[in-house]
Amino acid sequence: MEDHNFEHLLRSADLRVTRPRLAVLRAVRRQPHADTGSVLAAVRTEEPTVSHQAVYDVLGALTDSGLVRRIQPAGSVARYELRVGDNHHHAVCRSCGVVADVDCAVGVRPCLHASETNGFVIDEAEVTYWGMCPQCASAPDPSTVRSN
Ligand SMILES: [Zn+2]
Ligand SMILES: [Zn+2]
């Protein structure tokens, strides 16, 4: 997405276009599923004086307005991505924590039709697949490596 579109995106969400907001959107575009620390580091390469709190506030505003999706796998810090509105799932590596997008097996807005809703109006289903990423799965297990 071009910066021009980011400006349009912000305006369409009634958010003022600011340099920190644009920098955060660029950072999340470059690094999907980035955590707050990674976003802050990326933003500071463009805006060296921006504070942690400012980036935190921007992420909150972008998330509240639906421009950015916040995910938080169990045991992980919050992570952010620009891919919103499709309720896609995530695969998380148990070893290194890397996160990958997983499209649903059954189609659009997946898994929102719960078999039993107990009267709840369901608007989101969160599915996390846990396992090993390709790098970790192919790395030798240190516990089986002989020391001599
Ligand atoms: Zn891994
Ligand atoms: Zn994702």
Side-chain angles (χ1 to χ4, degrees), residues 35-42 52:
D35 61 18
T36 308
S38 306
V39 173
L40 179 66
H52 183 278

PDB file of all heavy atoms in Angstrom, residues 35-42 52:
ATOM      1  N   ASP A  35       5.774  -6.892  16.924  1.00  0.00           N
ATOM      2  CA  ASP A  35       5.343  -6.504  18.265  1.00  0.00           C
ATOM      3  C   ASP A  35       5.639  -5.014  18.466  1.00  0.00           C
ATOM      4  O   ASP A  35       6.239  -4.359  17.616  1.00  0.00           O
ATOM      5  CB  ASP A  35       5.991  -7.378  19.346  1.00  0.00           C
ATOM      6  CG  ASP A  35       7.509  -7.271  19.350  1.00  0.00           C
ATOM      7  OD1 ASP A  35       8.056  -6.311  18.776  1.00  0.00           O
ATOM      8  OD2 ASP A  35       8.143  -8.166  19.938  1.00  0.00           O
ATOM      9  N   THR A  36       5.204  -4.486  19.621  1.00  0.00           N
ATOM     10  CA  THR A  36       5.335  -3.049  19.854  1.00  0.00           C
ATOM     11  C   THR A  36       6.795  -2.596  19.766  1.00  0.00           C
ATOM     12  O   THR A  36       7.098  -1.554  19.183  1.00  0.00           O
ATOM     13  CB  THR A  36       4.765  -2.680  21.236  1.00  0.00           C
ATOM     14  OG1 THR A  36       3.443  -3.215  21.339  1.00  0.00           O
ATOM     15  CG2 THR A  36       4.701  -1.178  21.416  1.00  0.00           C
ATOM     16  N   GLY A  37       7.695  -3.398  20.349  1.00  0.00           N
ATOM     17  CA  GLY A  37       9.111  -3.035  20.328  1.00  0.00           C
ATOM     18  C   GLY A  37       9.670  -2.947  18.916  1.00  0.00           C
ATOM     19  O   GLY A  37      10.441  -2.038  18.597  1.00  0.00           O
ATOM     20  N   SER A  38       9.282  -3.899  18.062  1.00  0.00           N
ATOM     21  CA  SER A  38       9.760  -3.883  16.675  1.00  0.00           C
ATOM     22  C   SER A  38       9.198  -2.694  15.917  1.00  0.00           C
ATOM     23  O   SER A  38       9.885  -2.074  15.101  1.00  0.00           O
ATOM     24  CB  SER A  38       9.350  -5.180  15.958  1.00  0.00           C
ATOM     25  OG  SER A  38       9.787  -6.301  16.670  1.00  0.00           O
ATOM     26  N   VAL A  39       7.915  -2.381  16.178  1.00  0.00           N
ATOM     27  CA  VAL A  39       7.308  -1.224  15.521  1.00  0.00           C
ATOM     28  C   VAL A  39       8.026   0.052  15.960  1.00  0.00           C
ATOM     29  O   VAL A  39       8.368   0.901  15.136  1.00  0.00           O
ATOM     30  CB  VAL A  39       5.797  -1.139  15.841  1.00  0.00           C
ATOM     31  CG1 VAL A  39       5.198   0.163  15.307  1.00  0.00           C
ATOM     32  CG2 VAL A  39       5.056  -2.339  15.256  1.00  0.00           C
ATOM     33  N   LEU A  40       8.284   0.150  17.260  1.00  0.00           N
ATOM     34  CA  LEU A  40       8.975   1.338  17.789  1.00  0.00           C
ATOM     35  C   LEU A  40      10.348   1.497  17.133  1.00  0.00           C
ATOM     36  O   LEU A  40      10.715   2.594  16.690  1.00  0.00           O
ATOM     37  CB  LEU A  40       9.131   1.210  19.307  1.00  0.00           C
ATOM     38  CG  LEU A  40       9.865   2.359  19.998  1.00  0.00           C
ATOM     39  CD1 LEU A  40       9.064   3.646  19.903  1.00  0.00           C
ATOM     40  CD2 LEU A  40      10.159   2.023  21.459  1.00  0.00           C
ATOM     41  N   ALA A  41      11.098   0.397  17.048  1.00  0.00           N
ATOM     42  CA  ALA A  41      12.436   0.464  16.443  1.00  0.00           C
ATOM     43  C   ALA A  41      12.356   0.909  14.990  1.00  0.00           C
ATOM     44  O   ALA A  41      13.156   1.733  14.534  1.00  0.00           O
ATOM     45  CB  ALA A  41      13.117  -0.897  16.557  1.00  0.00           C
ATOM     46  N   ALA A  42      11.365   0.372  14.264  1.00  0.00           N
ATOM     47  CA  ALA A  42      11.218   0.729  12.849  1.00  0.00           C
ATOM     48  C   ALA A  42      10.813   2.188  12.687  1.00  0.00           C
ATOM     49  O   ALA A  42      11.323   2.900  11.825  1.00  0.00           O
ATOM     50  CB  ALA A  42      10.188  -0.190  12.185  1.00  0.00           C
ATOM     51  N   HIS A  52       8.074   5.988  23.126  1.00  0.00           N
ATOM     52  CA  HIS A  52       7.408   4.695  23.229  1.00  0.00           C
ATOM     53  C   HIS A  52       5.909   4.891  23.423  1.00  0.00           C
ATOM     54  O   HIS A  52       5.088   4.223  22.792  1.00  0.00           O
ATOM     55  CB  HIS A  52       8.018   3.913  24.396  1.00  0.00           C
ATOM     56  CG  HIS A  52       7.463   2.534  24.541  1.00  0.00           C
ATOM     57  ND1 HIS A  52       6.276   2.274  25.183  1.00  0.00           N
ATOM     58  CD2 HIS A  52       7.925   1.337  24.113  1.00  0.00           C
ATOM     59  CE1 HIS A  52       6.023   0.967  25.145  1.00  0.00           C
ATOM     60  NE2 HIS A  52       7.013   0.377  24.512  1.00  0.00           N
TER      61      HIS A  52
END
